[in-house]
Each structure stands twice: as C-alpha cells, then as structure tokens.
Amino acid sequence: LVWHKALPVWFDEKVTRDNAERILRDHIDTVVRRYAGAIHSWDVVNEAVRLEDRLPGRLRRSPWYDRLGPDYIRIAFEAAAKADPNARLVYNDYGVDYATRSEGRKREAVYGLLQNLVSTGTPIHALGIQSHLRGWERRFDPLELQSFLRAVAELGLEVYVTELDVSDQRLPATIAERDAIVARVYEEYLEAVLDVPQVRLVMTWGLSDRYTWLTEHRPRPDGQPVRPLPLDAELQAKPAWRAMARAFSSAADRGGV
C-alpha cells in the first residue's frame, strides 16, 4: 500500500506536507475497502528501512518520509486496519537473510522499527521477509536468521516469507548443476525458517522461470536464461520444486494460516 517507488506521475507536484496525510489515508481506504474480506494480508509499508540514508531509526528518505516524517508508517497501518479490521497487516523488507555486517545492521534496524510500532499500539500483525536469495552466497547462518525471527515472534508478530526466489546469476552454465545448487539453497533456507513456528506463510516471487523479474534485473553474464523458480519456462517442476516439498513435509504442522 505504501512504497517509495511506483508513485503516480503527479505526486511531486500535488502532494505537499499539508495534504499528504489525507491523500495517504484516502488511497489506503479506497484500495483496502474495495478488497476487504477477500485479502488475507496486506503489505502495508514496503522497504521503509535503508541504512545508507542515515536517518533516525535507519529509515529510508522517501517521498512519504519527506512530507510526513516517520509518522507515515503508523498512519498507513492505522488506515489499513480501519478499512479492513480482519486482514493481517504486514511490514515487508529485504536484505535480512545473510550473516553479513550490513544485513546484520539491517536486521537490527527492522527489529527496532517493529518494536516501536508494537510498543505504540500500532496495528501490525507480521513481518514479511522478501528472501531474494543468491545461489552463490556462502554467508548463510541458519541460527543467526532464526534468532532474528524468534525475536520478532517475541514481539507477538508472525513472519511471512513473501518474495522467495534464488538468483543463479553467478552459477555454472550447466543446467543440471545450476538447478541442483538452486534447489539446495531453497531447501536449506526453508528448513531454517520453518523451524520457527511463527513463520506462517511462504510465497515465491513468481512460479515459472518464464516470468521472473531476475531476467531483467539480474541477468546471467553468459546470456543464458535465468532459472530461479520452482517451475521451468515450460511450467515443468524442477529440482527446486521437490526440494521445497521436502522442506514443507519435514516442517512441524502449524495448522495453516
């Protein structure tokens, strides 16, 4: 519902500090009421943390922040809750998966934001982690990620994996070898996160390699088509599909979402 990108072309000209809150509330009310009762959960605020901007709380300097300050996050959740009291409301972000210094700092910032929202009574139900994984990345520490997710759960929040895929940009050209590595990454990651009972939902960012954002944004240097998803371009199940199935089969039952 609220993102720093994909704003209307008239935003900079029409939206001011005086009218920004009204426009934000009207937008959320219009969209959420239209689909009330048909939507399980809303990505209410997306990617509001950015370390490089060096703002208080490590928030992103966005058009909404510039007009409303950090309060735009609270306003968005309150408006969504009013428009559909039964929907699950989610804060969604990327870059919290790996045991690197920057992603560790990102986890701390995201946790601080969630802690503040919960402590001030803001209606929020879950953290969404985008989980855009890298097939060549070796700095994955299951225990470190689980510790973060359990800390989030202790705030009373659920955790949703919202945009799961595995980039094969730097993997070998041989399809069988590439697919095996991607499948292993899926399985290891899901085994780790599903060990936390509060992880209640997993969504891949697309189903078929035919339709993936990585074709444009993370192409392979050798020009071969990318293969980041559970189904190939012909909609046939790949090793990643079977790896995901094994991870789900071995996870403890949590009674559905």
Side-chain angles (χ1 to χ4, degrees):
L1 296 170
V2 183
W3 195 29
H4 62 281
K5 293 184 177 181
L7 294 168
V9 294
W10 46 260
F11 187 93
D12 285 338
E13 180 182 351
K14 299 292 186 182
V15 183
T16 67
R17 292 182 180 179
D18 292 332
N19 65 18
E21 180 172 348
R22 175 183 59 78
I23 289 173
L24 179 59
R25 288 184 181 275
D26 286 351
H27 158 67
I28 293 174
D29 185 73
T30 300
V31 175
V32 174
R33 283 189 188 278
R34 179 179 179 87
Y35 299 103
I39 296 293
H40 169 270
S41 48
W42 288 100
D43 175 354
V44 178
V45 176
N46 196 53
E47 301 172 2
V49 171
R50 188 171 187 267
L51 303 178
E52 295 84 350
D53 288 350
R54 301 182 180 276
L55 292 174
R58 297 297 190 181
L59 294 180
R60 179 186 297 273
R61 181 171 294 285
S62 71
W64 290 113
Y65 185 97
D66 287 341
R67 289 158 176 80
L68 294 169
D71 230 21
Y72 84 90
I73 300 173
R74 174 191 58 79
I75 292 168
F77 278 96
E78 289 179 351
K82 182 178 179 181
D84 186 358
N86 296 317
R88 311 297 285 171
L89 306 182
V90 186
Y91 173 73
N92 194 57
D93 218 324
Y94 65 92
V96 299
D97 306 294
Y98 291 112
T100 67
R101 182 181 179 186
S102 62
E103 297 209 9
R105 293 170 61 213
K106 180 80 173 273
R107 286 191 290 273
E108 291 176 1
V110 168
Y111 178 81
L113 171 60
L114 297 174
Q115 189 177 44
N116 178 261
L117 293 173
V118 170
S119 67
T120 55
T122 303
I124 179 173
H125 305 108
L127 166 67
I129 52 174
Q130 294 184 16
S131 307
H132 293 299
L133 307 179
R134 304 183 287 273
W136 61 92
E137 181 63 73
R138 296 292 178 263
R139 294 169 294 179
F140 177 61
D141 184 336
L143 296 181
E144 190 169 320
L145 179 58
Q146 289 171 347
S147 177
F148 169 65
L149 299 183
R150 290 191 173 105
V152 170
E154 288 176 1
L155 295 175
L157 301 177
E158 296 177 337
V159 178
Y160 301 159
V161 175
T162 57
E163 304 183 20
L164 177 61
D165 55 18
V166 180
S167 172
D168 68 348
Q169 184 183 43
R170 302 184 191 176
L171 296 185
T174 306
I175 287 178
E177 186 177 2
R178 216 190 321 164
D179 283 357
I181 294 171
V182 167
R184 184 169 66 247
V185 171
Y186 270 111
E187 191 162 6
E188 290 177 352
Y189 186 81
L190 286 174
E191 284 178 345
V193 299
L194 291 173
D195 194 54
V196 179
Q198 289 79 11
V199 175
R200 307 285 293 177
L201 181 152
V202 174
M203 294 184 289
T204 53
W205 201 232
L207 286 174
S208 165
D209 295 334
R210 187 186 303 182
Y211 309 109
T212 167
W213 71 292
L214 293 170
T215 297
E216 177 181 354
H217 294 279
R218 302 288 189 276
R220 289 179 55 83
D222 60 11
Q224 290 197 37
V226 296
R227 298 175 62 86
L229 290 167
L231 304 181
D232 67 16
E234 303 305 317
L235 307 181
Q236 298 302 303
K238 294 160 49 186
W241 177 281
R242 294 182 284 277
M244 294 178 70
R246 287 192 297 271
F248 286 125
S249 294
S250 62
D253 180 38
R254 55 208 69 201
V257 297

